[in-house]
Amino acid sequence: MSDKKTISGNARRPEGELRRGWTTGCCATAATKAAFSAILTGKFADSVTITLPKGEKPTFPLLEPVLEGGFASVGIIKDAGDDPDVTHGAHIQACVRRLAPGSGTVFKAGEGVGTVTKAGLPIPPGEPAINPAPRAMMTAVLAEVAAAYDTHPDAEVTISVIGGAEIAKQTWNPRLGIVGGISILGTTGIVHPFSCAAWIASIHRGIDVIRAAGLNHAAACTGSTTEAAVAKMHSLPEFAFIDMGDFAGGVLKYLRHHPIQRLTLAGGFAKMAKLAEGHLDLHSGRSQVDLARLAARATALGGSAELAERVRGGNTAMEALELCTQAGIPIGNDIARSAREVALAESDHQVDIELLVFDRKGQLVGEAGFRPR
């Protein structure tokens, strides 16, 4: 399960070495340890230290500790380091209540933590959106603290994120059927700045949900403009839309082993031109449009030498599209056909693909359709 954390379009990678941060799962684990320790000792410490799966030992100051009878609650402010993460600065709170021996660890969703409502995610419907790795980390710290005081670790753990319902609107959670708040995530406990892993994981979970629902047609789009355009062309439920961003490879490679029947793959002209040349990461910092190749395409489609020269010397892919459109050269369809072939090959032909190319205004400028039925 993954709720992709939206990165602002204005976010820029800072210069120099980037500072790592801590996941929501790491913060929830630290708060859980602090609260359970307070129950057993009768008081809160000033801070809490936990050991992460790879051996790191971060220490966290505690926020708003409360100890009353058989339960304790405490918060930790999440520090995402230099990553432009929407949960940076979030108040992660754990409320721990002791249970009878043998009860195990029971997880509950408090304020701002979502509940799973659709199949296809690592956590079944009806459960709090707390991923397996954070659950394991919290269960482990309960056992660690209990062992230190020669008692049992059985407890009810309620995780809350203050304002989490609003934060969740900036994630994939509503589309994945996680309602009421964010997910508690993290495998290693560490946030790596400007990592692609969270986004690609969200793509995979989106495909899992689509497959679990038995849907035979999904759409992977590079952005909101293309998604809105595709929504007008196909009557698909919201969860059928995969926010692909620049990660065409993340979609297509996953579909090799987790196929669906049909995929509409849609994007702007520049990104689809890069896909047509075999680039699977469409980010401008990791692949570039080859204007010389676009000029060659224009010539092969009947364009004049003058047009080819203007395309080759142009500034952007969109300028090349405009020049070809004015000259009556169907370069959008040519890009769509080539991009479709790349996509089919990358998915190992496990899914039928429709490739749609749009301009900046969301107008269709090229298409290569599904196989005839």
Side-chain angles (χ1 to χ4, degrees), residues 154-308:
D154 306 274
E156 175 189 275
V157 179
T158 302
I159 302 300
S160 303
V161 179
I162 310 306
E166 283 300 311
I167 296 173
K169 294 176 182 179
Q170 302 176 64
T171 74
W172 274 29
N173 274 13
R175 185 169 295 184
L176 293 176
I178 300 169
V179 301
I182 68 167
S183 301
I184 303 301
L185 303 173
T187 302
T188 65
I190 298 173
V191 173
H192 295 280
F194 286 80
S195 169
C196 302
W199 197 313
I200 293 174
S202 292
I203 288 172
H204 295 173
R205 297 298 78 77
I207 293 172
D208 290 344
V209 168
I210 289 164
R211 283 166 48 86
L215 198 64
N216 63 10
H217 184 189
C221 305
T222 56
S224 58
T225 298
T226 52
E227 182 174 304
V230 172
K232 293 178 181 178
M233 298 174 65
H234 296 296
S235 297
L236 295 172
E238 184 184 27
F239 72 88
F241 286 88
I242 300 165
D243 185 0
M244 177 176 71
D246 295 313
F247 304 111
V251 173
L252 298 168
K253 292 175 183 177
Y254 197 68
L255 287 173
R256 288 182 192 173
H257 305 290
H258 307 82
I260 55 177
Q261 186 175 336
R262 301 201 302 169
L263 176 73
T264 295
L265 187 63
F269 179 77
K271 292 186 185 296
M272 293 300 98
K274 289 190 276 189
L275 181 61
E277 299 299 337
H279 297 290
L280 299 175
D281 185 337
L282 309 179
H283 191 277
S284 59
R286 296 183 287 271
S287 61
Q288 299 296 322
V289 175
D290 189 335
L291 292 173
R293 296 292 290 271
L294 287 181
R297 286 180 181 273
T299 299
L301 292 168
S304 66
E306 179 187 0
L307 173 63

Side-chain angles (χ1 to χ4, degrees), residues 20-370:
R20 298 184 306 174
W22 313 111
T23 65
T24 49
C26 174
C27 296
T29 299
T32 297
K33 181 177 180 179
F36 193 49
S37 297
I39 291 173
L40 298 185
T41 63
K43 63 179 181 180
F44 278 98
D46 294 329
S47 62
V48 62
T49 300
I50 61 171
T51 302
L52 297 179
K54 292 187 177 181
E56 299 90 343
K57 295 186 176 183
T59 297
F60 301 89
L62 305 182
L63 180 69
E64 299 178 3
V66 175
L67 178 60
E68 294 182 3
F71 83 92
S73 68
V74 67
I76 286 174
I77 298 299
K78 177 183 171 179
D79 180 0
D82 284 325
D83 199 57
D85 185 329
V86 296
T87 59
H88 176 67
H91 179 174
I92 314 293
Q93 186 180 70
C95 178
V96 178
R97 186 186 304 273
R98 298 204 77 183
L99 298 176
S103 300
T105 307
V106 177
F107 293 99
K108 290 194 172 183
E111 174 196 345
V113 171
T115 298
V116 176
T117 65
K118 290 182 180 178
L121 297 171
I123 301 300
E127 280 288 307
I130 303 172
N131 262 23
R135 288 179 183 233
M137 290 169 62
M138 283 182 266
T139 301
V141 296
L142 290 173
E144 172 195 332
V145 174
Y149 292 94
D150 194 25
T151 187
H152 67 87
D154 306 274
E156 175 189 275
V157 179
T158 302
I159 302 300
S160 303
V161 179
I162 310 306
E166 283 300 311
I167 296 173
K169 294 176 182 179
Q170 302 176 64
T171 74
W172 274 29
N173 274 13
R175 185 169 295 184
L176 293 176
I178 300 169
V179 301
I182 68 167
S183 301
I184 303 301
L185 303 173
T187 302
T188 65
I190 298 173
V191 173
H192 295 280
F194 286 80
S195 169
C196 302
W199 197 313
I200 293 174
S202 292
I203 288 172
H204 295 173
R205 297 298 78 77
I207 293 172
D208 290 344
V209 168
I210 289 164
R211 283 166 48 86
L215 198 64
N216 63 10
H217 184 189
C221 305
T222 56
S224 58
T225 298
T226 52
E227 182 174 304
V230 172
K232 293 178 181 178
M233 298 174 65
H234 296 296
S235 297
L236 295 172
E238 184 184 27
F239 72 88
F241 286 88
I242 300 165
D243 185 0
M244 177 176 71
D246 295 313
F247 304 111
V251 173
L252 298 168
K253 292 175 183 177
Y254 197 68
L255 287 173
R256 288 182 192 173
H257 305 290
H258 307 82
I260 55 177
Q261 186 175 336
R262 301 201 302 169
L263 176 73
T264 295
L265 187 63
F269 179 77
K271 292 186 185 296
M272 293 300 98
K274 289 190 276 189
L275 181 61
E277 299 299 337
H279 297 290
L280 299 175
D281 185 337
L282 309 179
H283 191 277
S284 59
R286 296 183 287 271
S287 61
Q288 299 296 322
V289 175
D290 189 335
L291 292 173
R293 296 292 290 271
L294 287 181
R297 286 180 181 273
T299 299
L301 292 168
S304 66
E306 179 187 0
L307 173 63
E309 187 60 30
R310 293 181 68 189
V311 169
R312 191 178 298 109
N315 290 323
T316 65
M318 290 307 297
E319 182 181 353
L321 173 63
E322 292 169 2
L323 289 169
C324 289
T325 300
Q326 293 167 6
I329 301 300
I331 198 166
N333 285 336
D334 188 60
I335 289 295
R337 286 191 293 269
S338 294
R340 180 176 183 269
E341 289 303 314
V342 170
L344 285 169
E346 194 60 32
S347 65
D348 199 22
H349 295 267
Q350 295 300 304
V351 56
D352 190 12
I353 294 175
E354 170 189 56
L355 202 298
L356 303 178
V357 183
F358 295 91
D359 64 15
R360 288 197 182 101
K361 297 179 180 179
Q363 299 298 311
L364 185 67
V365 296
E367 60 182 318
F370 293 115

